[in-house]
Amino acid sequence: MKEVSEQGAYLQLAQLCARAEHCQYELIEKMRRWEMSEEAQARVMQRLVSERYVDDERYARAFVRDKIRYNKWGRRKVEQALWMKHIDDDIRSRALSEVDDEEYLSVLRPLLKQKRRSIKAASDYERNQKLVKFALGRGFTFDIIRQCIDGDVDEVDEED
């Protein structure tokens, strides 16, 4: 791979950040692949942060919002993804705490309802176990899954 100059890297990364949110870790990894020196990476990163092209807190808020609303991920999965992107603990917790509980439940309920229709199970117990396993895999916590499953069972009983 050809070597990228400091100014060239700054311009490419600024253009990338102008189109979409990116965290510092992603940009540093990109510069590593370009085989830039660590000092040059630090200078480019400092400039991008000072000019507000990169803001990990803004990135975390957008990431949390998008993953919960559009990808239907639970808090645990989102938190793990942010951890893998080296987002600080306090930024992660602030971004995750901004998610409204009702919005969170409104993501999980239809997801479980849809999955319930496609599950083949011999008993309600087996069906609920499969639903719990599915939702845990999506990153939802057991207590909120239980709350939704118990609520759905009540609604199914009322329909009969």
Side-chain angles (χ1 to χ4, degrees), residues 38-77:
E38 294 209 5
E39 297 81 28
Q41 289 178 29
R43 286 191 299 271
V44 169
M45 196 45 111
Q46 178 59 42
R47 188 170 170 196
L48 289 168
V49 169
S50 68
E51 294 178 10
R52 303 213 12 100
Y53 280 108
V54 179
D55 183 348
D56 278 354
E57 190 156 352
R58 187 177 63 211
Y59 172 81
R61 280 194 194 108
F63 187 87
V64 167
R65 188 176 48 251
D66 288 352
K67 293 301 177 190
I68 289 177
R69 284 186 188 156
Y70 303 118
N71 294 45
K72 313 276 190 245
W73 285 9
R75 282 188 177 109
R76 304 287 299 152
K77 190 168 183 174

Side-chain angles (χ1 to χ4, degrees), residues 135-152:
L136 285 171
R138 282 295 185 109
F140 292 92
T141 55
F142 187 76
D143 57 328
I144 204 148
I145 296 168
R146 191 86 247 152
Q147 183 181 343
C148 287
I149 288 178
D150 290 345
D152 285 351

Side-chain angles (χ1 to χ4, degrees), residues 42-137:
R43 286 191 299 271
V44 169
M45 196 45 111
Q46 178 59 42
R47 188 170 170 196
L48 289 168
V49 169
S50 68
E51 294 178 10
R52 303 213 12 100
Y53 280 108
V54 179
D55 183 348
D56 278 354
E57 190 156 352
R58 187 177 63 211
Y59 172 81
R61 280 194 194 108
F63 187 87
V64 167
R65 188 176 48 251
D66 288 352
K67 293 301 177 190
I68 289 177
R69 284 186 188 156
Y70 303 118
N71 294 45
K72 313 276 190 245
W73 285 9
R75 282 188 177 109
R76 304 287 299 152
K77 190 168 183 174
V78 173
E79 184 177 16
Q80 185 178 22
L82 287 172
W83 178 82
M84 290 177 69
K85 291 185 178 281
H86 299 255
I87 303 296
D88 289 338
D89 291 344
D90 59 324
I91 293 174
R92 276 197 319 255
S93 60
R94 277 197 305 266
L96 286 165
S97 69
E98 289 177 5
V99 177
D100 181 43
D101 286 342
E102 274 308 308
E103 179 185 359
Y104 195 59
L105 286 170
S106 71
V107 166
L108 181 58
R109 280 192 186 109
L111 201 61
L112 289 175
K113 221 172 242 188
Q114 181 180 4
K115 186 68 177 174
R116 181 183 292 275
R117 289 186 213 119
S118 68
I119 289 179
K120 307 264 188 283
S123 66
D124 282 342
Y125 176 78
E126 186 181 340
R127 177 177 293 111
N128 285 345
Q129 291 302 323
K130 289 182 178 185
L131 284 171
V132 167
K133 188 175 179 181
F134 167 76
L136 285 171

Side-chain angles (χ1 to χ4, degrees), residues 13-23 26-27 53 58-59:
L13 295 176
Q15 188 177 36
L16 187 68
C17 291
R19 285 184 294 210
E21 288 291 339
H22 292 279
C23 65
E26 292 173 339
L27 301 180
Y53 280 108
R58 187 177 63 211
Y59 172 81

